[in-house]
């Protein structure tokens, strides 16, 4: 389910109230006069047809009120119109609702996933997104969202099973990165694909786009380092279908909104021994990435020393 038909940048709850108010505003509603006083205007005589609204049936029921011809009256102290009141309520609801609450309208509460490994976790829009991995039954088809409270705490947070809503591709040992608006998940899906694919996911409206670039090898066990400074994510190392570690680096330029496309490019190959299950961390002070550990061919673990640093400006690797 994609919420593509919603144009207003407000949560689902606010959108419902807003739409309801617009529907009700289409009826010519107003309160009757609350006080009567003498008037110099011409007298009203005969019958006045006033339309009354019954919310339980959503219909207009006319009622006739007889007004004596001798009563010279007009309304000098009208109450606020029903339209004004309804529109004010809808506006207050729309303004008070948090955007990050949108997923709860289309998801179901669920316990935390059990026995899962090889999954990805990112935080965006005040929500923790958990995707994919494997269980004892094989590749996990589940996606979860933990909506944090106003203090960005897990104290009052609840797990939400968003699998049917997000329809993200099940992946094992993939990588993920996120901005405030967009999350990407890339890498192996255990399908034996030679080329990498990514899910580009709008974390506010839960729209998904599959990005399938040419010339970028698919692999598992990569490390990812995200730089908010240049809005790029660097995928380092990993292994292909033959379980042989590689020194491949992929640079992902994340879109600032889901209307733009994710861009994947080949980066400068890692100069150390090809490895998998390594770590990569962006360091602003170095304007680059620090790579530690991992496994080389034969599943041999590597020590943290020496470390390798990637200079993002010069696009060069060095050993430290």
């Amino acid at each position: 389910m994609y919420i593509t038909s919603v144009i207003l940048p407000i949560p689902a709850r606010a959108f419902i109230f807003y739409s309801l108010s617009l529907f009700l505003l289409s009826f010519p509603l107003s309160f009757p006069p609350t006080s009567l006083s003498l008037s110099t205007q011409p007298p009203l005589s005969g019958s006045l047809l006033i339309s009354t609204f019954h919310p339980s049936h959503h219909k207009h029921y006319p009622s006739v009120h007889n007004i004596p011809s001798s009563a010279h009256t007009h309304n000098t102290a009208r109450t606020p119109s029903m339209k004004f009141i309804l529109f004010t309520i809808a506006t207050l609801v729309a303004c008070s609702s948090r955007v990050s609450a949108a997923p709860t309208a289309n998801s179901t509460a669920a316990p935390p996933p059990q026995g899962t490994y090889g999954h990805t976790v990112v935080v965006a829009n005040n929500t923790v997104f958990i995707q994919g991995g494997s269980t004892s039954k094989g590749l996990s088809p589940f996606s979860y969202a933990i909506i944090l409270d106003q203090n960005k705490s897990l104290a009052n947070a609840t797990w939400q099973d968003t699998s049917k809503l997000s329809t993200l591709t099940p992946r094992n040992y993939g990588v993920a990165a996120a901005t405030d608006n967009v999350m990407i998940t890339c890498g192996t899906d255990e399908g034996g694909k030679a080329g990498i694919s990514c899910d580009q996911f709008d974390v506010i409206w839960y729209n998904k786009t599959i990005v399938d670039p040419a010339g970028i090898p698919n692999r598992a066990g990569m490390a990812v380092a995200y730089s908010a400074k240049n809005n790029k994510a660097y995928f380092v190392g990993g292994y292909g279908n033959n379980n042989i570690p590689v020194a491949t680096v992929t640079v992902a330029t994340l879109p600032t909104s889901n209307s733009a496309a994710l861009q994947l490019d080949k980066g400068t190959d890692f100069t150390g021994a090809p490895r998998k299950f390594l770590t990569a961390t962006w360091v602003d002070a170095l304007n680059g990435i620090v790579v530690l550990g991992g496994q080389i061919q034969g599943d041999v673990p590597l020590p943290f020393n020496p470390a390798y640093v990637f200079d993002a400006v010069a696009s060069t690797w060095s050993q430290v």
Side-chain angles (χ1 to χ4, degrees), residues 13 47 60 69 83 164 183 192 195 206 213 234 290:
R13 290 183 300 172
S47 298
H60 281 75
S69 60
K83 290 183 178 182
K164 293 182 180 179
M183 174 180 77
Y206 278 41
Y234 299 84
V290 175

Side-chain angles (χ1 to χ4, degrees), residues 67-252:
I67 300 178
S69 60
S70 60
H72 296 187
T73 62
H74 76 281
N75 182 16
T76 59
R78 290 184 180 275
T79 58
S81 70
M82 180 65 81
K83 290 183 178 182
F84 176 78
I85 293 175
L86 290 173
F87 188 80
T88 301
I89 292 173
T91 302
L92 291 174
V93 172
C95 293
S96 64
S97 299
R98 292 186 301 115
V99 172
S100 61
T104 63
N106 296 281
S107 57
T108 57
Q114 301 296 318
T116 305
Y117 62 94
H119 51 282
T120 60
V121 179
V122 294
V123 179
N125 190 37
N126 207 45
T127 304
V128 180
F129 292 94
I130 304 170
Q131 164 61 19
S134 291
T135 67
S136 59
K137 297 180 180 180
L139 194 62
S140 172
F142 295 107
S143 301
Y144 295 91
I146 309 175
I147 301 175
L148 304 177
D149 60 25
Q150 294 181 347
N151 297 321
K152 299 186 182 298
S153 169
L154 289 172
N156 298 313
T158 57
W159 288 81
Q160 306 291 333
D161 182 348
T162 58
S163 308
K164 293 182 180 179
L165 178 63
S166 62
T167 66
L168 292 172
T169 305
R171 299 175 187 276
N172 186 41
Y173 294 127
V175 291
T179 66
D180 290 336
N181 302 312
V182 176
M183 174 180 77
I184 63 170
T185 58
C186 305
T188 179
D189 57 5
E190 300 293 342
K193 289 183 58 177
I196 199 171
S197 69
C198 298
D199 288 338
Q200 177 179 322
F201 184 68
D202 187 322
V203 300
I204 297 176
W205 292 116
Y206 278 41
N207 296 325
K208 184 192 76 172
T209 302
I210 296 179
V211 180
D212 196 1
I216 306 294
N218 187 26
R219 52 203 195 275
M222 297 175 284
V224 58
Y226 172 68
S227 167
K229 187 175 182 179
N230 60 18
N231 198 37
K232 295 182 185 297
Y234 299 84
F235 308 155
V236 183
Y239 63 95
N241 292 331
N242 52 13
N243 201 31
I244 297 177
V246 298
T248 304
V249 176
T250 302
V251 181

Side-chain angles (χ1 to χ4, degrees), residues 239-266:
Y239 63 95
N241 292 331
N242 52 13
N243 201 31
I244 297 177
V246 298
T248 304
V249 176
T250 302
V251 181
T253 303
L254 275 69
T256 55
S257 69
N258 210 45
S259 60
L262 169 68
Q263 180 179 338
L264 291 177
D265 299 292
K266 187 179 184 306

